[in-house]
Amino acid sequence: MSESSERKPPVDLGIYSRVAADTSLDPADKIALVVSAIWLVMCTAFLAIVGLGGSEELGGLRFLIVVLAVLLPVALIWIGSIAVKSARIMREESERLAVSMDAMRQIYITQAQMAATTMGPNVERKIDEIVKGQKRAESAMAEFATTRPISVPAPSPERPAVPPMAPPTVMDGQPDLALGTPAEMYGTPVSTADFITAMNFPETADDRAGFDALRRALADRRAAVLIQASQDVLTLLSQDGIYMDDLTPDRSKTDIWRRFASGERGPTVSGLGGVRDRSSLALSAARMRQDSIFRDASHHFLRTFDKTLASIADRLSDQELAALTETRTARAFMLLGRVAGIFD
């Protein structure tokens, strides 16, 4: 036999094992043949002993009854044999189809991984940008940890009418959110209402109030870091069909969020990972393992949200903190935080 005829395909899709038709008798046919033979022998013995006696008036009808009594059971036996063979063939074809699907899925995953590793400069450039963004965010957080000025600028007349959620000690307008840092270094401080609205992003393309709040939040460079990180992970999650509006996480009390913001970890704050959607968790966990860009963006977002929450939790009322935890950004934090295990 030549070398080419002995060569086997790299993946068995279930179509290479049929070399020649099997001419041997099927087990179901063997059983049907034996049962038919036994039935015919019994009928022959019965007719030999009893005979065809009876009234001569029946004539040909008696012969027809005898033929039916002998052949009809035999026909039913072979019909049952054919049904058994058909069921077995269908089961084998189903198994072969399942093997083929698994093989094609493995090929697709392999090709996707190879494409991800061969994207070259684009991937490296993206990773470098994420690393630089992380360094800038961490340096900004470190500087913010030592300086927390509080300023209350007068609200501008063009701002949308947002229901105030400021502490009662503030007399004019909403207080600025303590994403602190001097205004000359990090832009205009953002108000609490605008920050919470920006964390949820505009509802639609016509949500003018949402876009105005987002624009004002982006003017505060500290808030802009978290908004950009949130936008990155929300975009990446949408590529897998994961949208925050489809998630309904379990609500946690505000005091649990405050404990988490103060650095507490373990069973007392594990309820913050309230996302129960198995499909979203499985897809996110798989991509976290396989996609380095998604993993880096997720970790950057989790660190940024964690540090920002720790810096502003004491300045938020319970209503403001509850509103913040209902935003799309907070839901992404719950989902990715549970996948990364930061609530354990």
Side-chain angles (χ1 to χ4, degrees), residues 186-188 190 194 198 201 211-228 231:
Y186 294 105
T188 305
V190 62
D194 287 341
F201 294 95
F211 280 105
D212 290 342
L214 182 62
R215 185 181 65 255
R216 289 190 291 269
L218 290 173
D220 187 327
R221 297 181 185 176
R222 294 295 309 284
V225 173
L226 178 56
I227 292 173
Q228 184 60 52
Q231 183 179 3

Side-chain angles (χ1 to χ4, degrees), residues 254-275:
T254 55
D255 61 338
I256 299 178
W257 281 99
R258 296 187 188 279
R259 292 179 185 177
F260 179 82
S262 63
E264 186 173 342
R265 299 293 184 268
T268 56
V269 298
S270 60
L272 297 183
V275 177

